[in-house]
């Protein structure tokens, strides 16, 4: 009987034992035995039944207990029945039942029990076994009968057992073969499904290797296969199963030896019970067998893998340290797996070929997009560092991990920019290139040195590149530098397509560098020209505060024609001008200088602002077509603060009072000069009170491409609210506030003018320049009016003071270049003129009467000559009590 039915058989025998345990006390009571006898007889069988049911007891021990209990039950029944023959047959039946265990232990126990009880005991003490006369008279005969029964039953049991064993063995072998075939079929089906779902070559070969190694129960297996890279070069790879990769990597790939050759040639399967005893083994140098340290191999199985076209794709190899482990069944299975592997391998290669073609097309498209974006970047700015930095970050986010740009400077040095992709960050560092080996000697090492020398520091690890592409940056016949693209081992190796991309990118970089350098030269020339044409410094005019700033446009913006000027006119008047020539570059700067010179000439000639503007308009029209400019020209009389101005298409001047009020002077605004022949311009007037601010500016200060000009004007009006009295600081604040948060797309010029508030005392430092006398007299006249002097007194005091001022210029030291004037109204008008340095005597008959004239109009004139300075003091009483005295 099958082994699997033991539990069922044992359960049936235990149930039969419990049935006897229940029947024994009933029969004992019926047969009239005493209570003690009944209890003793009734306790034996339940105990054996419980022992046969204990799960922790060994199975064979439980079968023995059950067998002995069942035989004991028969013996008790024989005893209780008085030895009736039916009970004896029941005894033998129990022996047959015990034989169902098909176990020698319970069977021998049953035989021994019968022979002992019915044989030896039956002969020696028949009265204890038999109750009938025939058995008592001839116990040997009954013992023989019992022995015959036992022998017959034993023979029947043995025959049955042997038949069952043979039948069970055949059935087990059939079941095992069926299970093995099912397992193999399931394995092949699983391998087929796995291969059908996977189109990655590496995963396909690994799946095949793992499955075949498992099915053959090999110690290790390997799949060596051939691949062809994108450059058409063939090489061999392998997948390993059952052993670590380092167990084979030091031995290299198998060579075409007599053992491996048939497999790689596709000649057929090689299966050896002991490869070391094969005549082909150990015939090739240098190892003459397995290399030292190789895993032990005795059983050997190798199956070629062929494609549908018959090409050998590779081979499956299996080994085991014990001999004879691989059977013909294993060989058949591996051949089936190899056929599946060949189809999957072909499908994977076809898919990879299509994917590579698609990837190449996508990569080409992506690189075209990168080139288009690079062109946008390179055309977006003319600042070399900015555009190359943005370009490096673009390249490292799409094509390569590292981008190194080396640009040769005009002075022979090299400007290096390194861009590195690190995760989601892009870092770039501009630096001067360190000494490095020639590129053709060690390009990978060269780029590694460039990266490590790029300023990233030891805290930021930069992995050495695995592949490098280098191309020259060349414009026409000019070598401008080198462009390096490098990829780490995590990125696919850079190939011919990447070199073509780098060459095209290098050409575009060369064009951008050429344009940037050309622009830089032109910008430098224009800036130099413009700065040379602008006032080097504003004149220091007594009683007038002025300040100006000029700011060139932002990166990539050509220098324009913005300009300003402060002109000393006759009668102490001041000319203020600001303008903007339409156009950029050297031509605009040159035209700006031409207009500034012409305006200065027309203004000093005594012409009114309108006449000056009309002459400038005619002049600009004569220079050629398409020449225009906007100009504001203001004539300021410091004595009364009257402003006479003309606006030729320029942003309106801003007038701000000390109390915070501010407005734009927009009374008249004519056409830009050069726009219309014969244009007439109308003057407007305004008053610049003491302490008020007049601000002239160009459109770069208020025009913004993102907003209307009204926003810029409002921002400017708010900016002048920060006026603290210092015009230089005010100009800086106005520029910072008006230009905050936006790039300057145009040049910007600012000119600020103020008439300071004159107090009870007057302190002025005056340059030793005769042109300063008129504004000085105007300032003194304004101060005298403020302290209460009438018109006659102002005239006489100014005549006397003018002589002192003239003497200070004529006799003062030329090395100092200035003199100081102090005036106060304490007990009359007191004016002091201090000339620094030694006093110079008059030359010839020129002069000599200045102090005499001063003395005519003054109450007193005193001269105090010292070694380092000369002070002349004059005093004059006035009719009214001086204000502030």
């Amino acid at each position: 009987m099958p082994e699997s039915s033991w539990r069922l058989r044992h359960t049936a025998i235990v149930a039969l034992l419990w049935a006897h345990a229940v029947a024994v006390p009933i029969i004992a009571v019926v047969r009239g035995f005493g209570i003690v006898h009944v209890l003793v007889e009734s306790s034996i069988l339940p105990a054996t039944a419980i022992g046969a049911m204990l799960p922790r007891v060994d199975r064979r021990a439980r079968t023995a207990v059950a067998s002995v209990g069942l035989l004991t039950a028969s013996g008790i029944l024989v005893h209780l029945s008085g030895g009736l023959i039916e009970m004896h047959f029941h005894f033998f039946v129990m022996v047959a039942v015990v034989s169902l265990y098909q176990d020698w232990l319970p069977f021998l126990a049953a035989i021994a029990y019968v022979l002992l009880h019915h044989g030896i005991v039956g002969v020696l003490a028949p009265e204890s076994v038999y109750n009938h006369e025939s058995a008592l008279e001839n116990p040997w005969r009954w013992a023989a009968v019992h022995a015959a029964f036992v022998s017959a039953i034993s023979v029947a049991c043995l025959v049955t057992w042997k038949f069952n064993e043979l039948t069970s063995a055949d059935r087990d072998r059939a079941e095992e073969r069926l299970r093995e075939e099912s397992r193999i079929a399931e394995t092949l089906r699983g391998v087929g499904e796995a291969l059908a779902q996977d189109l990655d070559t590496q995963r396909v070969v690994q799946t095949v290797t793992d499955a075949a190694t498992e099915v053959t129960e090999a110690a290790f297996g390997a799949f060596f296969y051939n691949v062809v890279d994108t450059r058409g070069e063939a090489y061999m790879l392998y997948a390993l199963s059952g052993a670590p990769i380092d167990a084979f990597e030091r031995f290299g790939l198998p060579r075409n030896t007599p053992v491996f050759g048939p497999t790689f040639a596709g000649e057929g399967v090689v299966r050896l019970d002991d490869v070391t005893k094969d005549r082909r083994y150990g015939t090739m140098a240098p190892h003459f067998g397995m290399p030292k340290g190789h895993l032990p191999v005795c059983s050997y199985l190798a199956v070629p893998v062929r494609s549908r076209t018959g090409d050998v794709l590779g081979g499956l190899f299996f080994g085991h340290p014990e001999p004879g482990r691989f059977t013909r069944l294993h060989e058949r299975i591996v051949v089936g797996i190899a056929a599946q592997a060949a189809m999957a391998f072909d499908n994977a290669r076809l898919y990879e070929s299509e994917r590579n073609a698609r990837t190449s097309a996508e990569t080409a498209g992506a690189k075209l997009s990168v080139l288009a974006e690079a062109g946008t970047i390179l055309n977006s700015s003319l600042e070399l560092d900015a555009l190359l930095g943005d370009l490096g970050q673009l390249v490292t986010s799409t094509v390569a991990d590292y981008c190194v740009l080396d640009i040769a400077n005009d002075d022979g040095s090299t400007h290096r920019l390194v861009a590195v992709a690190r995760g989601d960050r892009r870092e770039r560092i501009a630096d001067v290139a360190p000494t490095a080996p020639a590129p053709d000697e060690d390009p990978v090492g060269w780029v590694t040195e460039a990266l490590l020398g790029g300023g990233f520091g030891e805290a930021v690890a930069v992995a050495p590149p695995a592949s490098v592409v280098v191309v020259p940056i060349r414009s026409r016949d000019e070598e401008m530098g080198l462009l390096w693209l490098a990829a780490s081992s995590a990125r696919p190796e850079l190939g011919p397509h990447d070199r073509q991309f780098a060459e095209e990118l290098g050409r575009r970089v060369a064009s951008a560098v050429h344009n940037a350098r050309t622009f830089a030269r032109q910008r430098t020339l224009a800036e130099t020209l413009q700065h040379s044409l602008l006032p080097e410094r504003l004149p220091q005019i007594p009683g007038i505060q002025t300040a100006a700033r000029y700011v060139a446009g932002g990166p990539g913006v050509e220098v324009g024609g913005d300009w300003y000027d402060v002109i000393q006119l006759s009668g102490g008047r001041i000319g203020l001008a600001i303008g903007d020539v339409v156009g950029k570059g050297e031509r605009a700067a040159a035209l700006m200088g031409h207009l500034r010179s012409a305006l200065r000439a027309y203004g000093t000639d005594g012409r009114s602002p309108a006449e000056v503007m009309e002459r400038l308009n005619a002049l600009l029209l004569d220079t050629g077509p398409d020449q225009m400019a906007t100009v504001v020209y203001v004539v300021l009389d410091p004595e009364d603060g009257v402003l006479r101005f003309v606006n030729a298409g320029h942003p309106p001047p801003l007038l701000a009072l000390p109390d915070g009020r501010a407005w734009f002077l927009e009374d008249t605004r004519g056409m830009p000069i050069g726009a219309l022949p014969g244009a007439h311009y109308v003057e407007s007037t305004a008053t610049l009170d003491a302490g008020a601010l007049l601000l002239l500016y160009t459109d770069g200060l208020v025009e913004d491409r993102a907003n209307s000009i009204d926003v810029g004007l409002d921002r400017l009006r708010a900016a002048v609210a920060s006026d603290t009295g210092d015009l230089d600081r005010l100009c800086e604040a106005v520029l910072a506030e008006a230009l905050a948060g936006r790039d300057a797309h145009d040049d910007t010029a600012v000119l600020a003018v103020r008439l300071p508030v004159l107090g009870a005392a007057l302190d002025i430092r005056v340059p030793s320049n005769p042109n300063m006398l008129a504004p000085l007299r105007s300032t003194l006249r304004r101060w005298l009016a403020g302290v209460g002097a009438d018109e006659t007194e102002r005239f006489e005091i100014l005549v006397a003071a003018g002589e002192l001022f003239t003497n200070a210029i004529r006799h003062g030291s030329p090395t100092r270049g200035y003199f100081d004037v102090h005036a106060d109204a304490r007990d009359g008008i007191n004016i002091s003129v201090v000339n620094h340095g030694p006093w110079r005597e008059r030359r010839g008959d020129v002069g000599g009467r200045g102090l005499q004239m001063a003395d005519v109009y003054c109450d007193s004139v005193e001269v105090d000559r010292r070694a380092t300075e000369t002070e002349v003091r004059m005093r004059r009483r006035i009719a009214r009590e001086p204000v502030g005295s």
Side-chain angles (χ1 to χ4, degrees), residues 44-83:
I44 296 174
L45 298 184
T48 57
I50 292 173
M53 294 174 62
L54 293 175
R56 296 186 178 181
V57 178
D58 182 70
R59 192 180 78 171
R60 299 193 69 191
R62 281 188 284 161
T63 60
V65 170
S67 301
V68 173
L70 200 59
L71 295 172
T72 303
S74 296
I76 292 173
L77 289 176
V78 170
H79 172 69
L80 293 177
S81 66

Side-chain angles (χ1 to χ4, degrees), residues 718-733:
V720 299
S722 62
D723 185 8
T724 59
D726 188 323
L727 291 188
D728 288 316
R729 292 183 181 178
L730 175 66
C731 289
E732 296 291 346

Side-chain angles (χ1 to χ4, degrees), residues 24-204:
V24 164
I26 296 174
I27 295 174
V29 171
V30 172
R31 297 284 294 176
F33 288 93
I35 188 64
V36 175
H37 192 82
V38 171
L39 292 176
V40 172
E41 295 285 350
S42 303
S43 62
I44 296 174
L45 298 184
T48 57
I50 292 173
M53 294 174 62
L54 293 175
R56 296 186 178 181
V57 178
D58 182 70
R59 192 180 78 171
R60 299 193 69 191
R62 281 188 284 161
T63 60
V65 170
S67 301
V68 173
L70 200 59
L71 295 172
T72 303
S74 296
I76 292 173
L77 289 176
V78 170
H79 172 69
L80 293 177
S81 66
L84 295 178
I85 190 61
E86 289 80 3
M87 291 297 105
H88 286 276
F89 279 116
H90 179 272
F91 189 89
F92 297 136
V93 170
M94 292 301 101
V95 172
V97 170
V98 169
S99 69
L100 294 176
Y101 274 119
Q102 295 187 177
D103 192 340
W104 288 102
L105 181 62
F107 181 75
L108 291 177
I111 297 299
Y113 189 95
V114 171
L115 292 177
L116 176 65
H117 187 271
H118 289 77
I120 297 175
V121 177
V123 172
L124 297 178
E127 65 281 359
S128 64
V129 176
Y130 308 114
N131 293 325
H132 53 88
E133 295 181 357
S134 176
L136 293 174
E137 292 176 357
N138 195 356
W140 287 99
R141 185 179 65 184
W142 282 100
V145 171
H146 291 158
F149 271 112
V150 171
S151 299
I153 291 173
S154 299
V155 170
C157 289
L158 290 175
V159 171
T160 302
W161 288 359
K162 188 62 177 176
F163 180 76
N164 285 341
E165 286 178 359
L166 292 175
T167 303
S168 178
D170 291 340
R171 184 172 62 249
D172 290 344
R173 283 192 296 271
E175 290 178 353
E176 181 62 27
R177 284 195 300 271
L178 181 61
R179 282 193 297 271
E180 184 176 358
E181 291 289 345
S182 298
R183 182 171 60 86
I184 293 171
E186 182 64 24
T187 300
L188 291 176
R189 185 187 65 79
V191 171
E193 289 181 354
L195 296 179
Q197 296 174 0
D198 204 337
L199 292 173
D200 182 81
T201 303
Q202 187 64 34
R203 289 197 297 269
V204 164

Side-chain angles (χ1 to χ4, degrees), residues 57 72 387 627 704 816 876:
V57 178
T72 303
L387 65 89
Q627 299 287 350
D704 184 0
R816 295 290 183 174
R876 166 69 183 266

Side-chain angles (χ1 to χ4, degrees), residues 285-327:
H287 302 295
F288 297 101
M290 282 175 286
K292 186 178 180 180
H294 195 284
L295 292 177
V297 178
C298 218
S299 298
Y300 174 79
L301 176 63
V303 177
V305 180
R306 296 187 186 90
S307 68
R308 284 170 289 195
T309 60
D311 297 332
V312 179
L313 304 177
L316 287 164
F317 299 85
F318 306 94
H320 199 285
E322 298 178 4
R325 293 301 298 263
F326 302 131
T327 65

Side-chain angles (χ1 to χ4, degrees), residues 827-829 854-861 874-878:
D827 191 19
I829 304 301
D855 189 56
V856 172
Y857 295 110
C858 297
D859 296 328
S860 65
V861 176
M874 56 171 282
R875 182 172 180 275
R876 166 69 183 266
R877 292 186 180 88
I878 60 176

